[in-house]
Amino acid sequence: MALIVQKYGGTSVGDLDCIRNVAQRVVSSAAVGNQVAVVVSAMAGETDQLVSWAREIGGEQPDPREVDMLVSTGEQKTIALLALAIRQLGHSARSFTGGQMGIRTDTAHTRARIASVDAERLQAVLDRGTVAVLAGFQGIDDEGNITTLGRGGSDTSAVAVAAALGADICEIYTDVEGVYTSDPRVVPRARKLDRISYDEMIEMASLGAKVLQIRSVRFAMRHGVPLHVRSSFIPDEGTWVVPEEGVMEGLFVSGVTYNRDEAKIRLRGVKDHPGIAARIFAPLSEAEIVVDMIIQNLSQDGTTDITFTVARDDYRRALAIVEAECAAIGAAGVDGDQSIAKVSIVGLGMKDHAGVASRMFQVLAEHGVNIQLISTSEIKVSVVIEESHTESAVRALHAAFLEAGADEPRSEA
Ligand code: ADP
Ligand code: ASP
Ligand code: MG
């Protein structure tokens, strides 16, 4: 007998037939004696709809407490429907909201962090042989306010519940068969990975592979929760997310990702002297705007250009803040561009192989893709390009690094 946490994403519970399919899967796992806690998302498209209603009625920046009150209702529907479907199959099941299951978070509405889960209460339900159906994405703060965990947050709910219960495994059921070398919807030749390390998965998630929310992978790594990403529609094994030692494939590049959710801001003719960067970025950080890439050009005649990227949702606010600082720092002007995309290659093997970045730039050049910004780390290289080139760039890089006939990397050893 095992203790299993299963999480089903939006498309897996997209309509009543899908919910019945999920109920079957849950019951077949419980029927062989496993204890099963199920975490579910809202029906596909529901959270988007609720977010857009909040904006329509509450303005560009609707009150975050009320937004959480609203968007958390999506999950409340699906837990009740799934519990009913499981009961129809003759198995006992009970649904619980985040608050009812003691999923405590901090007070940061719309991006709250989980502090604790009431594992005793949950275990007591499971010990009675009942399937616990839990609302993903939501929690409750110390004052009883409903909070949500950021888009894609049900993955993190599932991992937190698995960690609190000491579950044997956390299964993430979704609409693709696992983690692929690139988004299978963009790259038809992408292939499923049998295993991927936590570190690579964290990098892939942070660079746009939305199959897992980045926080869920960090949480799983910290608590040693084994993650199995798999399809809710077919029974085959999916992808195991495991510690580095467990990854045997030895790919030097394991994934190509893209992110269309960023925007670029450029300050022109900024004076090149100490304190200027602090002056630009301090008010952005006070406004809790996360800056991703930053590049400063070589200075000419004592002035320079500084370009940086932020999430597209923060673009207007960031632009207004920087425009307000512009005069004070003596910059010649500010401009921005929202039609950009960040395309990245990720792989543990890059640590030991030279020439990966230059090969990437060469491939993009051969496809006529202009590079606007570059950033690198030990296991990734990212470039910002014009958004309309996203798909062709991702496919070209996948062909160059991950398909038959791909170049052998030069080893440093
Ligand atoms: P869910 O609703 O189940 O949480 P998501 O839409 O959040 O599902 O995540 C699954 C989607 O992630 C897939 O449909 C796929 O298009 C996308 N995706 C992006 N990159 C990858 C990748 N490298 N591997 C698998 N899926 C990916
Ligand atoms: N329903 C939420 C969202 O769409 C949470 C999730 O699906 O993980 O972001
Ligand atoms: Mg998701």
Side-chain angles (χ1 to χ4, degrees):
M1 185 191 82
L3 201 169
I4 302 175
V5 174
Q6 300 187 333
K7 177 255 166 176
Y8 292 89
T11 35
S12 308
V13 292
D15 59 30
L16 297 188
D17 281 337
C18 290
I19 291 176
R20 286 190 193 100
N21 167 56
V22 168
Q24 289 281 4
R25 291 200 80 133
V26 172
V27 168
S28 59
S29 186
V32 294
N34 295 315
Q35 293 193 323
V36 187
V38 192
V39 174
V40 279
S41 296
M43 288 171 151
E46 173 98 6
T47 311
D48 288 340
Q49 169 78 83
L50 293 168
V51 168
S52 85
W53 279 351
R55 290 211 177 117
E56 212 177 305
I57 209 159
E60 273 259 323
Q61 280 176 23
D63 179 75
R65 181 185 180 278
E66 303 312 326
V67 172
D68 278 352
M69 185 68 91
L70 177 66
V71 298
S72 59
T73 60
E75 274 70 13
Q76 201 167 324
K77 276 193 203 167
T78 44
I79 53 172
L81 289 168
L82 180 59
L84 288 171
I86 294 172
R87 294 170 74 93
Q88 277 301 99
L89 296 175
H91 204 286
S92 80
R94 277 193 91 163
S95 63
F96 300 94
T97 64
Q100 286 173 328
M101 210 24 96
I103 300 185
R104 292 255 166 210
T105 72
D106 61 17
T107 56
H109 282 293
T110 75
R111 54 192 165 79
R113 285 177 183 274
I114 296 180
S116 62
V117 176
D118 188 347
E120 259 176 49
R121 168 127 202 249
L122 188 48
Q123 189 64 60
V125 173
L126 300 177
D127 288 344
R128 289 198 295 274
T130 297
V131 170
V133 183
L134 311 171
F137 182 51
Q138 57 173 262
I140 194 168
D141 72 8
D142 284 343
E143 279 162 23
N145 298 299
I146 295 176
T147 52
T148 63
L149 311 177
R151 299 305 306 268
S154 297
D155 298 329
T156 305
S157 309
V159 174
V161 165
L165 286 171
D168 296 297
I169 171 178
C170 181
E171 297 180 321
I172 307 286
Y173 286 91
T174 184
D175 58 354
V176 287
E177 287 168 39
V179 179
Y180 282 67
T181 48
S182 193
D183 186 344
R185 294 187 200 292
V186 170
V187 184
R189 291 189 152 157
R191 65 182 182 81
K192 191 184 80 187
L193 296 163
D194 293 333
R195 287 168 176 264
I196 184 168
S197 71
Y198 289 118
D199 284 320
E200 284 170 303
M201 193 64 238
I202 286 170
E203 206 67 74
M204 296 244 297
S206 76
L207 296 170
K210 63 172 189 158
V211 61
L212 285 175
Q213 195 198 36
I214 178 168
R215 279 188 187 172
S216 71
V217 194
R218 288 210 192 103
F219 209 112
M221 179 163 150
R222 245 192 342 266
H223 293 87
V225 176
L227 283 181
H228 186 190
V229 182
R230 58 193 307 191
S231 163
S232 51
F233 304 104
I234 61 159
D236 301 13
E237 283 256 311
T239 302
W240 288 87
V241 188
V242 292
E244 199 171 315
E245 313 80 76
V247 183
M248 304 298 289
E249 289 196 55
L251 294 173
F252 80 106
V253 169
S254 48
V256 180
T257 61
Y258 64 92
N259 180 357
R260 289 190 170 106
D261 295 333
E262 290 195 19
K264 178 177 92 170
I265 293 177
R266 179 175 64 146
L267 280 111
R268 284 176 283 111
V270 179
K271 288 205 186 72
D272 192 13
H273 62 69
I276 293 293
R279 188 78 199 247
I280 298 166
F281 293 108
L284 290 170
S285 91
E286 268 159 41
E288 300 201 30
I289 293 174
V290 176
V291 174
D292 180 20
M293 292 160 123
I294 303 177
I295 88 157
Q296 176 169 339
N297 293 0
L298 274 180
S299 83
Q300 267 186 330
D301 311 325
T303 65
T304 181
D305 290 352
I306 296 180
T307 308
F308 61 92
T309 62
V310 294
R312 223 175 263 188
D313 269 352
D314 290 333
Y315 174 69
R316 302 228 158 270
R317 267 191 326 135
L319 196 60
I321 290 172
V322 173
E323 274 166 351
E325 289 298 313
C326 188
I329 55 176
V334 183
D335 53 49
D337 185 358
Q338 298 198 69
S339 47
I340 59 162
K342 182 166 75 174
V343 172
S344 313
I345 56 177
V346 180
L348 277 177
M350 281 187 216
K351 284 184 190 171
D352 322 306
H353 293 100
V356 179
S358 68
R359 176 75 186 120
M360 178 184 190
F361 305 152
Q362 193 190 342
V363 170
L364 293 172
E366 282 161 9
H367 287 78
V369 178
N370 187 41
I371 299 172
Q372 303 178 6
L373 304 170
I374 299 170
S375 90
T376 62
S377 78
E378 218 182 9
I379 63 168
K380 71 119 202 274
V381 184
S382 298
V383 296
V384 165
I385 61 171
E386 141 113 41
E387 187 178 9
S388 62
H389 290 145
T390 313
E391 303 203 341
S392 58
V394 169
R395 287 193 197 118
L397 291 169
H398 192 271
F401 287 106
L402 282 151
E403 289 170 31
D407 296 351
E408 273 300 303
R410 280 184 284 127
S411 174
E412 273 180 351

